[in-house]
Amino acid sequence: MPVNLKGRSFLTLKDFTQKEIFYLLDLARDLKSKARAGIKGDTLKDKNIVLIFDKSSTRTRCAFEMAAAQEGANVTFLTNSQMGKKESIEDTAEVLGRYYNGIEYRGFGQKIVNELAKFSGVPVWNGLTDEYHPTQILADLLTIQEKIFKPLSHIKVVFVGDARNNMGNSWMIGCAKMGMHFVALAPKSLWPDPKLVKEMKEIAACTGGKIELYSNVDLAVKNADVIYTDVWVSMGEEAKYAERIKLLKPYQVNMKMLKKAKNPHVKFMHCLPAFHDLNTEVAKEIHKKFGLKEMEVTDEVFRSHHSIVFDEAENRLHTIKAVMVATIGNI
């Protein structure tokens, strides 16, 4: 049967089958080819989209706005709304669902985006919550398909750092769904929720995937195709820098770690922004307090031929476009 995602929300990859995820990746590839060929799309013509941002953003906002514009949609950027302050999420969703064809939310608890989907009556897309970041994983999967020339089911991804955060969770889900080999490399105190691990191992048993947790670098990274990391402290957790630096400094992604993969073609990935130098205010403050010039990844790795971070950043645009086109588009 052909895949039909019309009217569906995109809240977590848990909600999608392997076939549906492959469909989104194929659609993203097609839309990317057309955009690069200068073919102006109209799959979102006369559609109206609202973007709700409770957390700051560069790639997510730009990708949604550009994807919508390239396919003919109108966009409202909404921040500092009354949602959850003077008006309930339910009431806000009811109103926005009458104005718009689709709603994007980037912010805090997953409960918020779930409620928007429940009460709005239109597709809602998760641009990032504390628990999940599914649009990033779609972009990462497309990038791996483009840069590593073997099936996804033969790919080993090692996620290094805070493996309980939204990226660690989402990568484990993505790998389980796609039959990939996922390794969380972190101190045990930062391993993913055991309930989620159990759930994903059950899915992986059906798809041919594999889920592993390690605190030993040598065991974890051997034969890795992708070494992936994220910031050590997520938005809203800035008070934990001292604690996280102590825990995660041994897990910094550097050339020594990449060499331990024993794969000359190993790729480095990061959802960005990355603290790989001192060219940001935050990095300068951390250097002043803790003496670190680099955090989760060294500048050498970030700028090396192993790094495909800007390819995956670009693919945010194309995979987000695919999600919107598949769920509300004129196709």
Side-chain angles (χ1 to χ4, degrees), residues 9-14 16 21 24-25 28 51 53 57 59-61 63-64 67 103-106 110 113 124-129 131-143 166-167 170-171 173-174 228 269 271 311-324 327:
S9 288
F10 190 77
L11 308 179
T12 166
L13 287 178
K14 283 185 184 184
F16 291 81
I21 296 169
L24 288 170
L25 293 172
L51 310 179
F53 279 73
S57 169
R59 278 152 296 282
T60 301
R61 178 182 177 181
F64 267 100
I103 300 169
E104 179 273 351
Y105 175 78
R106 177 184 174 93
Q110 183 72 14
V113 76
V124 173
W125 312 300
N126 181 356
L128 174 144
T129 61
E131 292 88 349
Y132 305 118
H133 197 1
T135 59
Q136 180 68 54
I137 300 302
L138 272 189
D140 295 340
L141 291 172
L142 179 62
T143 308
N166 49 22
M167 282 305 303
S170 296
W171 252 121
I173 295 166
Y228 201 111
M269 300 180 76
C271 53
D311 297 292
E312 60 179 303
E314 178 193 346
N315 280 336
R316 293 295 307 284
L317 168 64
H318 308 298
T319 47
I320 282 171
K321 186 188 296 183
V323 169
M324 293 194 293
T327 54

Side-chain angles (χ1 to χ4, degrees), residues 248-281:
L248 291 173
K249 193 173 179 183
Y251 297 92
Q252 181 188 68
V253 178
N254 50 39
M255 278 298 180
K256 184 178 179 181
M257 180 183 288
L258 263 58
K259 287 175 182 176
K260 287 181 177 182
K262 300 189 184 304
N263 175 4
H265 305 294
V266 65
K267 303 300 183 186
F268 169 72
M269 300 180 76
H270 192 304
C271 53
L272 302 182
F275 294 117
H276 60 97
D277 56 24
L278 294 178
N279 293 329
T280 64
E281 292 178 10

Side-chain angles (χ1 to χ4, degrees), residues 57-259:
S57 169
T58 299
R59 278 152 296 282
T60 301
R61 178 182 177 181
C62 293
F64 267 100
E65 289 198 359
M66 286 304 301
Q70 288 178 6
E71 293 296 321
N74 302 307
V75 175
T76 299
F77 176 71
L78 182 62
T79 187
N80 297 324
S81 74
Q82 298 295 347
M83 186 176 75
K85 300 169 188 173
K86 292 184 178 180
E87 185 172 45
S88 69
I89 297 169
E90 177 180 352
D91 291 357
T92 303
E94 288 273 5
V95 172
L96 295 180
R98 295 182 183 221
Y99 293 168
Y100 296 96
N101 303 104
I103 300 169
E104 179 273 351
Y105 175 78
R106 177 184 174 93
F108 297 93
Q110 183 72 14
K111 183 180 178 181
I112 299 172
V113 76
N114 290 345
E115 283 195 53
L116 286 170
K118 180 179 179 180
F119 295 111
S120 67
V122 298
V124 173
W125 312 300
N126 181 356
L128 174 144
T129 61
D130 292 340
E131 292 88 349
Y132 305 118
H133 197 1
T135 59
Q136 180 68 54
I137 300 302
L138 272 189
D140 295 340
L141 291 172
L142 179 62
T143 308
I144 288 171
Q145 285 182 322
E146 292 174 340
K147 298 297 180 180
I148 303 178
F149 303 106
K150 56 184 180 179
L152 289 179
S153 59
H154 293 184
I155 299 291
K156 177 180 177 179
V157 176
V158 180
F159 185 87
V160 186
D162 182 0
R164 313 158 312 151
N165 74 5
N166 49 22
M167 282 305 303
N169 291 340
S170 296
W171 252 121
M172 182 164 55
I173 295 166
C175 286
K177 288 283 185 175
M178 305 311 288
M180 299 166 70
H181 184 179
F182 173 81
V183 175
L185 173 57
K188 288 186 178 182
S189 61
L190 297 180
W191 281 6
D193 185 330
K195 290 182 180 178
L196 182 62
V197 173
K198 182 177 183 292
E199 183 184 355
M200 290 307 110
K201 283 187 174 182
E202 289 171 356
I203 292 173
C206 298
T207 62
K210 190 175 184 181
I211 307 294
E212 294 183 311
L213 311 178
Y214 284 105
S215 54
N216 182 290
V217 173
D218 291 24
L219 294 175
V221 303
K222 187 178 179 181
N223 299 321
D225 295 291
V226 174
I227 293 179
Y228 201 111
T229 195
D230 191 8
V231 293
W232 287 345
V233 175
S234 298
M235 284 182 279
E237 295 185 326
E238 286 76 13
K240 296 185 177 180
Y241 265 113
E243 170 193 330
R244 293 293 172 79
I245 287 170
K246 184 177 180 180
L247 274 173
L248 291 173
K249 193 173 179 183
Y251 297 92
Q252 181 188 68
V253 178
N254 50 39
M255 278 298 180
K256 184 178 179 181
M257 180 183 288
L258 263 58
K259 287 175 182 176

